[in-house]
Amino acid sequence: MFKNKKLLPGASIMALALSSASGAMAQDVPTDSERAAERASDDNVIIVTATRRSEGLQDVPIALSVVSGEAIAEQGIDDLEALSDLIPNVHIGKSGSSNQIFIRGIGSGNNQGFEQSVGMFVDGVYMGRARNSRAAFLDIERVEVLKGPQSTLFGKNTIAGAINITSGQPTNQLEGYVEANYETEVNTFGVTAMASGPLSDRFRARIAANYLNSDGWMRNSAPNGEDGPGQENIAVRGIFEWDAADALTLNFKAEHGEFDIVGREQKLTISTPTSDFLFGLGSDPNFASTTGFNRNKSDAGFPGRPLLDNTKSNIFQMTADLEVGDHTLRSISAFTKYEYQNCTDADYAPVNFIDRCRNEEHKQFTQEILLTSPSGQTVEYLAGVYYQDADLRSDASTTVALSSLPPIENAILGLLGGGAAGSLDTEFLNFFRQKSETWSAFAELTFNLTDSFRVTGGLRYSDDSKNAVKQQITAVPGGTTSDPFLAFIMSSAVLGFANQYSYDLDRSENHWTGNLNLQYDFNDDIMGYFNFGTGYKAGGFDADNGLDRSRQFEDETVKSFEAGLKMELLDRRARINLAAFINSYDDVQVSSFETVGFIVGNAAKTKVQGIEGDFVFAATDELSFHGAFSILDAKYDKFTNAACRISQIQDGSCAANGGFQDLSGQPLQFAPDTSGNIGFSYDRNITDGLVVSLGTDVLWTDDIVVAPDGDPNVIQSAYAKVNARIGIEADDGSWSLAVVGKNLTNKTTFNWGNDASLSGTGFGFENAYFHHIQPPRTFELRARLAF
């Protein structure tokens, strides 16, 4: 059988922690005590909970990448967006008002009504909104990224995968640390502190807090325009654990976070002379010179509405573990809430033309009960029930001030037969309320048929219901009631910005999902697996549709086939993992930009197939190499009703095709044909108590389609980035000092972009595009003191 021996002696924390379990290892079914002894004897075994059991990474039958808390701290990884750079086929990045999370080219676009394609779980609690993924890391034990559908054990909205985050837990011994970091190029300062230990024989606690302040990397030449994205983040967490009885442990968590951003990384990058002239009617005479892919911009929000993104969040959670004979009964109860205010300059220029703000609040209660059988039996099983109740309020206001552009205003007034200056200035008010309820029941059985062969099957039933109330009002700026004149003009053929409407709708759906997994040990060092799974993402309501062209979108489903090999060679100094997959998606939910907002619908069919691999090789006890790669073919099988590009609207081909374009056979968003990373780590004791470490990683990607309509102006061309680290630390881990360099060749790249607002209206803004520019080369000093 395969045993968890000490793997890759001398390999660095990063090389060991950032590894992919592309397959599972069938075993001789050791008892719980035998497994515990094996793990205790092997410092390199990483414990994960991807199967809802605490298991070694090598025992897990899922395509899985894991990054440990130590690696997160060493590499200066502050959040999920930075983490995603290290894992091929994973994209996490900010858009205008949310985060976009994609795995293998499948994710959710920009619409507040969307559920997520990639589910995020923190300490076993489902975080149902993309906004939750913006939080900074705080005292993390590990992050697990599960690729492919995970519907049996994790439920709906894991159609592309799941992210499972585990916080540091209270310890039986007193320990703690203080860590500070300073980054020179964007003037970032941060500090994190943690203390953990026993308060009595039966009571333990862990308290952690961090603070971060940053100026950002975009320089803004507009008067009263903010540089940015400047950040000020504060987070505090307390976890208290009580052995209430010999068989009962209670774990209570309370967490509060405030994440404030001023200024944005967005800028107008492509513009025509006419657009430059119109946008340059603002107060910055240097506006035109800021276009292009650099980190200089000129934009500003309306007076009194600065460009900002402020979030407050709270989490309260109680987890109870009861030992019932050899079984474990777990209850997870949680209440989560966030609220945020977001204002963005939707014209991307210093002129006060288009401004958009959003206020959103989301409250969620979840309850899960899970029964787990003991490990080491011929038949193992787990079963559970899950309930979720969520309330969403999302209100947006979009102000269009045509008076700031007299040439445009005069031209439109001329078409309307005259009017006073400023009479067409308008504010569109969008009010969206949604209540949703989900309950599900699930079970999974594992049959250990022989010492080498294991079969696992799972099934889940889910029931979802939603109610949405939506209203859109056309008003004078600052008003709260409908203005009949503006409502008529703004919905007319002359402008066609938005319509007034309201609705109160209900929808419900139910699904059976499941998976079948086969695992086989070819020998002690080579394992293989095959997995078939299904999944779904719930349908819902279009929260951001200004023109009322779509009110609902349908659920999305997937069938997934995956096979993999996991090998350990050269006396287990080398690890190689390979996985091949074919995923077929039906009724894929898409979000496309139209005039001043996004509308959603369902594409017909999408196929995602490819090969992923990773390796770790300990050349010596001091030098190791590591890497990962992906070859991906992610395309629309059939998508004949896709939103048109601006160029197609202008040349008439969009109208000739009924107002749509055909994207069948075209690549998906955030799905490069190839991507990967390669690097080395070197650790050497220079004295009996002192260790020097250094390492370098090269991360590369092929061309990335960023815009949902496939516009070639929003394709990030292929690039490579180089990161490096050099550090010195005490051999006992009591202190460390390191310098971390990122993007050392100073590549200018972007991770979001699209047509600028009104670029397809014919008023002179044609062929104008914005992009979100990523950080430049940075150098960060990190110091840590542990006790």
Side-chain angles (χ1 to χ4, degrees):
M1 75 175 186
F2 180 82
K3 297 181 179 179
N4 285 323
K5 295 182 179 179
K6 192 121 180 171
L7 175 67
L8 302 173
S12 72
I13 291 175
M14 189 61 175
L16 286 169
L18 184 53
S19 57
S20 173
S22 297
M25 301 172 199
Q27 320 180 28
D28 275 347
V29 195
T31 66
D32 287 345
S33 59
E34 288 173 334
R35 286 184 175 180
E38 255 187 341
R39 290 173 182 141
S41 67
D42 187 350
D43 294 335
N44 286 329
V45 172
I46 301 172
I47 303 300
V48 298
T49 55
T51 61
R52 308 304 302 272
R53 296 174 183 264
S54 294
E55 296 186 279
L57 174 63
Q58 300 295 83
D59 305 324
V60 175
I62 297 172
L64 173 66
S65 296
V66 182
V67 183
S68 72
E70 290 178 273
I72 287 171
E74 281 196 355
Q75 301 298 314
I77 302 171
D78 295 321
D79 54 23
L80 282 170
E81 182 173 352
L83 180 71
S84 67
D85 290 339
L86 302 175
I87 307 175
N89 279 345
V90 177
H91 167 86
I92 301 175
K94 297 181 181 66
S95 62
S97 61
S98 187
N99 258 29
Q100 298 187 107
I101 310 174
F102 284 70
I103 292 180
R104 295 175 177 170
I106 299 296
S108 293
N110 288 281
N111 193 284
Q112 304 307 113
F114 268 145
E115 304 280 357
Q116 293 304 299
S117 300
V118 180
M120 190 175 81
F121 299 81
V122 179
D123 296 327
V125 175
Y126 175 59
M127 301 294 181
R129 305 287 294 172
R131 170 65 50 164
N132 296 120
S133 66
R134 286 198 172 191
F137 284 151
L138 170 63
D139 189 34
I140 298 296
E141 181 177 314
R142 66 183 178 276
V143 178
E144 306 166 27
V145 179
L146 292 65
K147 297 181 180 180
Q150 306 295 327
S151 297
T152 301
L153 297 181
F154 288 92
K156 68 171 184 175
N157 305 334
T158 58
I159 197 167
I163 297 173
N164 190 26
I165 301 174
T166 301
S167 306
Q169 297 298 305
T171 55
N172 290 314
Q173 302 295 325
L174 179 63
E175 63 179 57
Y177 63 82
V178 176
E179 183 175 82
N181 60 286
Y182 177 72
E183 197 287 313
T184 59
E185 302 301 309
V186 295
N187 193 27
T188 297
F189 170 75
V191 61
T192 301
M194 184 279 293
S196 176
L199 301 179
S200 69
D201 290 344
R202 288 183 170 266
F203 197 71
R204 299 167 294 280
R206 188 180 186 107
I207 306 296
N210 68 10
Y211 172 81
L212 182 140
N213 187 286
S214 175
D215 290 344
W217 57 88
M218 300 296 291
R219 298 296 170 250
N220 196 341
S221 61
N224 302 317
E226 297 92 353
D227 293 342
Q231 297 185 62
E232 186 172 29
N233 301 339
I234 300 173
V236 181
R237 179 196 303 134
I239 300 178
F240 306 92
E241 195 168 71
W242 177 37
D243 297 326
D246 290 344
L248 177 63
T249 300
L250 301 179
N251 184 292
F252 176 74
K253 180 177 79 171
E255 183 172 337
H256 174 75
E258 297 185 15
F259 311 101
D260 297 340
I261 298 175
V262 176
R264 309 301 295 276
E265 58 264 61
Q266 67 185 32
K267 67 164 293 184
L268 196 73
T269 47
I270 301 174
S271 181
T272 65
T274 301
S275 296
D276 277 348
F277 169 74
L278 293 171
F279 287 135
L281 291 175
S283 55
D284 185 3
N286 297 316
F287 170 74
S289 66
T290 68
T291 57
F293 291 91
N294 55 48
R295 298 181 180 91
N296 299 311
K297 67 173 186 173
S298 178
D299 69 348
F302 280 22
R305 296 171 71 165
L307 308 183
L308 53 82
D309 192 308
N310 298 337
T311 304
K312 292 183 180 180
S313 65
N314 292 288
I315 301 172
F316 300 97
Q317 174 180 344
M318 174 67 79
T319 301
D321 287 308
L322 177 65
E323 300 297 327
V324 183
D326 292 334
H327 292 68
T328 300
L329 185 65
R330 166 168 284 194
S331 169
I332 304 176
S333 308
F335 173 79
T336 65
K337 176 184 177 180
Y338 74 72
E339 53 186 330
Y340 80 82
Q341 179 186 16
N342 170 285
C343 285
T344 184
D345 180 24
D347 55 52
Y348 311 100
V351 63
N352 295 327
F353 180 24
I354 306 175
D355 182 64
R356 183 164 188 164
C357 289
R358 181 181 297 276
N359 289 279
E360 182 170 300
E361 180 181 79
H362 182 258
K363 296 184 289 186
Q364 174 183 283
F365 170 77
T366 59
Q367 174 65 57
E368 183 176 57
I369 298 176
L370 181 66
L371 177 67
T372 306
S373 73
S375 301
Q377 308 297 313
T378 302
V379 178
E380 301 174 10
Y381 59 87
L382 57 83
V385 292
Y386 175 79
Y387 175 77
Q388 174 188 319
D389 181 84
D391 290 339
L392 172 67
R393 174 187 61 81
S394 187
D395 298 335
S397 66
T398 303
T399 301
V400 178
L402 289 170
S403 60
S404 66
L405 299 175
I408 300 298
E409 182 185 43
N410 293 336
I412 296 175
L413 289 174
L415 293 173
L416 297 174
S423 61
L424 297 180
D425 290 354
T426 306
E427 186 169 6
F428 302 101
L429 305 175
N430 188 324
F431 304 100
F432 184 76
R433 304 287 187 277
Q434 178 174 281
K435 293 182 178 292
S436 60
E437 189 175 39
T438 297
W439 70 269
S440 61
F442 58 95
E444 185 178 78
L445 289 172
T446 298
F447 298 91
N448 298 295
L449 299 179
T450 71
D451 289 349
S452 301
F453 186 47
R454 170 182 292 184
V455 177
T456 299
L459 194 64
R460 189 180 191 113
Y461 175 80
S462 300
D463 184 281
D464 300 285
S465 60
K466 292 180 180 178
N467 169 261
V469 177
K470 188 174 188 294
Q471 183 181 26
Q472 181 153 295
I473 297 173
T474 304
V476 297
T480 58
T481 59
S482 171
D483 184 285
F485 169 74
L486 289 175
F488 172 75
I489 295 299
M490 292 299 165
S491 62
S492 68
V494 175
L495 293 178
F497 286 168
N499 300 322
Q500 289 198 134
Y501 64 93
S502 64
Y503 61 73
D504 185 339
L505 297 174
D506 295 294
R507 65 172 288 125
S508 61
E509 58 190 78
N510 56 74
H511 294 268
W512 288 95
T513 56
N515 73 294
L516 177 67
N517 185 278
L518 310 177
Q519 304 168 60
Y520 184 73
D521 292 340
F522 294 98
N523 55 45
D524 286 351
D525 298 315
I526 300 177
M527 291 71 64
Y529 78 98
F530 172 81
N531 188 77
F532 169 74
T534 64
Y536 81 100
K537 181 168 68 168
F541 302 96
D542 189 342
D544 277 341
N545 181 11
L547 296 171
D548 196 23
R549 293 190 179 177
S550 62
R551 293 187 174 184
Q552 296 190 50
F553 49 91
E554 298 306 315
D555 48 307
E556 176 182 334
T557 60
V558 64
K559 293 180 180 177
S560 171
F561 301 86
E562 184 163 298
L565 287 173
K566 184 165 187 177
M567 298 169 283
E568 293 180 344
L569 308 172
L570 303 177
D571 195 25
R572 300 196 174 171
R573 300 184 73 87
R575 170 190 292 170
I576 301 174
N577 299 319
L578 297 171
F581 52 89
I582 301 176
N583 299 337
S584 297
Y585 294 84
D586 287 331
D587 296 320
V588 177
Q589 298 167 5
V590 293
S591 174
S592 300
F593 184 74
E594 184 173 270
T595 308
V596 293
F598 288 85
I599 61 172
V600 301
N602 293 80
K605 293 180 181 296
T606 294
K607 179 176 285 186
V608 177
Q609 55 191 351
I611 299 173
E612 296 170 342
D614 64 81
F615 75 91
V616 180
F617 171 55
T620 70
D621 288 348
E622 298 170 340
L623 177 65
S624 66
F625 298 90
H626 56 269
F629 75 91
S630 165
I631 300 173
L632 186 64
D633 180 19
K635 291 183 171 63
Y636 292 111
D637 262 8
K638 183 179 180 182
F639 190 12
T640 58
N641 60 335
C644 292
R645 303 169 189 164
I646 296 303
S647 59
Q648 295 167 330
I649 296 174
Q650 294 169 348
D651 65 21
S653 61
C654 182
N657 195 38
F660 300 104
Q661 67 163 318
D662 186 355
L663 285 180
S664 303
Q666 297 301 306
L668 304 183
Q669 290 177 270
F670 306 113
D673 290 343
T674 61
S675 59
N677 61 73
I678 190 168
F680 76 90
S681 299
Y682 181 77
D683 303 280
R684 182 180 179 85
N685 283 83
I686 56 176
T687 69
D688 288 342
L690 203 60
V691 178
V692 170
S693 62
L694 58 91
T696 299
D697 288 276
V698 179
L699 307 96
W700 78 87
T701 178
D702 207 343
D703 294 352
I704 303 172
V705 174
V706 174
D709 59 8
D711 195 315
N713 288 296
V714 199
I715 293 179
Q716 170 60 62
S717 58
Y719 66 85
K721 292 185 179 181
V722 179
N723 299 336
R725 179 185 185 275
I726 183 169
I728 186 169
E729 61 184 290
D731 189 72
D732 61 2
S734 59
W735 64 268
S736 64
L737 188 65
V739 175
V740 178
K742 299 178 182 178
N743 189 15
L744 294 179
T745 57
N746 202 27
K747 295 286 186 181
T748 302
T749 58
F750 65 91
N751 64 353
W752 176 237
N754 219 318
D755 315 305
S757 298
L758 305 186
S759 59
T761 59
F763 294 125
F765 300 99
E766 294 81 1
N767 299 313
Y769 293 85
F770 75 91
H771 294 79
H772 283 200
I773 307 300
Q774 292 183 286
R777 172 175 49 225
T778 61
F779 296 96
E780 183 177 25
L781 178 66
R782 303 186 70 91
R784 182 183 180 99
L785 181 64
F787 60 88

